[in-house]
């Protein structure tokens, strides 16, 4: 933070297991940064597939844009305004006279976007230091990680501090974040990037934490048991402490042999103390995601009066299972991802599938006037529900989400979306939906695959072309032919594709 304030931009990763205190540490640092006059903005990655590309970056940049005046924003964005506006629509609302960005080849367009964002962030931090927190990067999409590499390489001579958090236990050697971390070390050197490994509390610290929460001291052997069972993990210790707080002194001795071994057992014991109606609401919300809106939850639980549902959420707030989320009224988030996971895992596969279907249909209804802004969420929920609802809505929203990803140069996310839908439709006969998905897949592959892998893109485009011809859709078949990328010349099958079954 000191380095960034003096004009030496930095990237720091807070690393550790779930519950070790990464978010809490970042919150404390943010409080110090704000006391020193810095601006702080937060973005979070999500485990589910429903978030759009660049989501953690979009949250932080959007929050900055919303509080900036138009004149200052225009100056800070400069010539990159149109490029950044392609993924942050609020910029166009603040700067209504903004002309569209010039069309470029995919790789050039993505470079322009990344360079525009990096330049904007450095400019925004010139007069007032800027701290950006990107949480749960082990769940980040590929485009967000590529943007992180680009921005980190351009931190020098800036007053920008980026703090990332991730669970090292989830980052194997082949994980996308592992590759990003390796690239960061090479590109920024030891001065610009560092990792801070967080460890568990000592026995003495666990005793202090328990004493703060209780009016009396616990026997030392019980404190040691708590430490051994939790390995000093602050979140796990906190779960045990919440259970111990409600126990009478003469009942404490039984905990020495019954403190739960697993965090899910600890969370489960706390949830058991909540009413059945509160648990029902929380289980439903857990399938929506880490964050959820009251309006959507009320739509999913129509059999419960709104006042009763609000009381259930108040109960969960009082128990510190959920908290109010930033970003608008009547928004909530689970206090920790582990709480959400514990709740969602209580559902059978059949119930979870049906709940995803209801969530998708409710999202359609609630956002009927602005469904475009929710296509990634809808694609995810209808993907999870395709065994119940079929693949029509999955294909429809995947195509929309895929086009958005391609338009934002998030080619890796587009490929993943299209491929997931095609896998779900593997047993279906060729139709317009499959042809559209193959066309999108081919465009995404052609934009990012190396020369040795371009045959995959060619095969996708050829399959799309044939599907269109078989269905008599010559217009879209022509679109495929006209979308052959310059870097694909010489790849086998493309030339023959144009004349297959047709008079040259």
């Amino acid at each position: 933070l000191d380095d960034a304030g003096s004009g030496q931009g930095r990237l720091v990763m807070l690393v550790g297991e779930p519950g070790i205190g990464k978010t809490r540490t970042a919150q404390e640092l943010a409080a110090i940064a704000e006391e020193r006059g810095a601006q702080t903005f937060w973005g979070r990655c999500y485990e589910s597939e429903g978030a759009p590309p660049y989501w953690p970056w979009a949250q932080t940049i959007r929050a900055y844009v919303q509080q900036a005046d138009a004149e200052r924003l225009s100056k800070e964005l400069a010539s990159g305004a149109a490029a950044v506006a392609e993924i942050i629509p609020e910029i166009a609302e603040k700067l209504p006279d903004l002309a569209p960005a010039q069309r470029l080849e995919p790789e050039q367009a993505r470079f322009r976007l990344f360079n525009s964002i990096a330049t904007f962030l450095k400019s925004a931090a010139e007069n007032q230091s800027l701290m950006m927190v990107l949480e749960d990067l082990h769940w980040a999409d590929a485009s967000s990680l590529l943007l992180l590499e680009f921005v980190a390489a351009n931190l020098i001579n800036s007053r920008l501090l980026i703090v990332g958090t991730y669970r090292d236990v989830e980052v194997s050697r082949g994980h996308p974040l592992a590759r990003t971390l390796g690239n960061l070390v090479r590109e920024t050197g030891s001065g610009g990037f560092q990792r801070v490994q967080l460890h568990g509390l000592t026995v003495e610290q666990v005793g202090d934490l328990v004493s703060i929460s209780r009016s009396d001291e616990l026997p030392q052997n019980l404190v040691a048991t708590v430490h051994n069972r939790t390995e000093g993990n602050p979140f796990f210790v906190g779960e045990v402490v919440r259970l111990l707080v409600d126990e009478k002194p003469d009942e404490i001795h039984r905990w020495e042999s019954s403190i739960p071994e697993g965090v899910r057992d600890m969370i489960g014991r706390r949830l058991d103390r909540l009413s059945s109606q509160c648990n029902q609401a929380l289980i439903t919300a857990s399938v929506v995601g880490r964050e959820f809106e009251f309006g959507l939850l009320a739509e999913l639980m129509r059999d419960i009066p709104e006042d009763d549902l609000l009381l259930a959420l108040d109960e969960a707030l009082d128990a510190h299972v959920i908290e109010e989320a930033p970003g608008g009224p009547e928004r909530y988030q689970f206090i920790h991802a582990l709480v959400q996971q514990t709740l969602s895992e209580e559902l059978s596969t059949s119930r979870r599938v049906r709940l995803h279907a209801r969530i998708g249909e409710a999202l359609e209804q609630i956002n009927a006037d602005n469904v475009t802004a929710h296509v990634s969420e809808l694609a995810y929920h209808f993907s999870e529900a395709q065994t119940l609802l079929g693949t029509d809505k999955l294909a429809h929203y995947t195509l929309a989400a895929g086009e958005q990803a391609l338009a934002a140069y998030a080619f890796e996310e587009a490929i993943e979306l299209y491929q997931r839908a095609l896998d779900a439709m593997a047993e279906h006969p060729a139709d317009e939906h499959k042809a559209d998905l193959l066309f999108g897949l081919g465009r995404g592959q052609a934009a990012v695959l190396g020369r040795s892998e371009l045959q995959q893109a060619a095969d996708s485009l050829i399959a799309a072309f044939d599907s269109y011809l078989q269905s008599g859709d010559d217009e879209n078949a022509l679109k495929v032919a006209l979308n052959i990328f310059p870097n694909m010349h010489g790849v086998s099958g493309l030339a023959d594709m144009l004349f297959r079954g047709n008079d040259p």
Side-chain angles (χ1 to χ4, degrees), residues 11 149 152-155 183-194:
L11 168 63
E149 292 180 35
N154 289 274
L155 284 176
N183 292 337
L184 288 171
V185 171
R186 287 192 296 273
E187 292 173 8
T188 63
S190 59
F193 167 57
Q194 69 180 106

Side-chain angles (χ1 to χ4, degrees), residues 175-418:
H175 193 284
L177 180 56
R179 292 191 291 272
T180 292
L181 294 171
N183 292 337
L184 288 171
V185 171
R186 287 192 296 273
E187 292 173 8
T188 63
S190 59
F193 167 57
Q194 69 180 106
R195 278 178 273 199
V196 177
Q197 183 78 42
L198 302 184
H199 302 284
L201 305 175
T202 64
V203 175
E204 291 75 17
Q205 291 167 337
V206 169
D208 290 342
L209 182 57
V210 173
S211 297
I212 290 169
S213 304
R214 293 183 55 87
S215 58
D216 59 327
E217 297 262 339
L218 287 182
Q220 190 58 36
N221 58 346
L222 182 54
V223 172
T225 301
V226 173
H227 179 267
N228 289 336
R229 293 286 176 88
T230 63
E231 296 183 347
N233 182 297
F235 180 73
F236 300 172
V237 173
E239 289 300 301
V240 173
V241 169
R242 289 185 190 282
L243 296 173
L244 289 173
V245 162
D246 295 332
E247 296 295 332
K248 298 176 181 178
D250 59 351
E251 295 177 346
I252 289 297
H253 69 277
R254 69 182 178 84
W255 282 93
E256 193 168 350
S257 60
S258 64
I259 291 176
E261 294 279 1
V263 66
R264 284 178 174 79
D265 291 338
M266 299 179 199
I267 296 171
R269 289 200 184 196
R270 179 141 63 107
L271 294 171
D272 287 343
R273 299 187 176 192
L274 303 177
S275 67
S276 60
Q277 191 160 269
C278 181
N279 270 285
Q280 183 184 353
L282 292 173
I283 288 172
T284 301
S286 72
V287 181
V288 176
R290 175 78 183 272
E291 291 188 10
F292 59 94
E293 293 183 353
F294 177 77
L296 175 58
L297 188 60
E299 180 67 24
L300 295 169
M301 305 187 70
R302 290 186 190 176
D303 54 326
I304 298 178
E306 280 198 0
D307 286 345
D308 290 348
L309 185 56
L310 285 169
L311 286 173
L313 294 180
D314 286 342
E315 183 183 354
L317 286 167
D318 291 340
H320 300 285
V321 174
I322 62 172
E323 61 188 356
E324 292 182 299
E330 298 193 332
R331 286 188 62 82
Y332 302 89
Q333 63 187 17
F334 287 96
I335 201 76
H336 199 283
L338 290 171
V339 177
Q340 178 205 353
Q341 292 167 6
T342 299
L343 285 159
S344 65
E345 288 174 4
E346 291 184 6
L347 291 168
S348 66
T349 301
S350 179
R351 283 190 64 196
R352 192 179 294 111
V353 166
R354 281 163 172 74
L355 196 45
H356 277 295
R358 288 174 55 208
I359 292 169
E361 290 167 348
L363 278 171
E364 279 184 312
Q365 181 177 337
I366 293 172
N367 301 290
D369 295 335
N370 188 28
V371 73
T372 304
H374 299 272
V375 291
S376 293
E377 294 172 82
L378 288 163
Y380 165 66
H381 288 296
F382 285 124
S383 172
E384 295 297 304
Q386 57 94 11
T387 55
L388 178 68
L389 298 180
T391 58
D392 285 349
K393 287 189 175 182
L394 162 62
H396 174 75
Y397 288 112
T398 296
L399 287 167
E403 288 299 323
Q404 284 187 358
L406 289 175
Y409 318 114
F411 306 115
E412 293 82 1
E413 282 65 52
I415 292 170
E416 187 175 340
L417 281 164
Y418 291 130

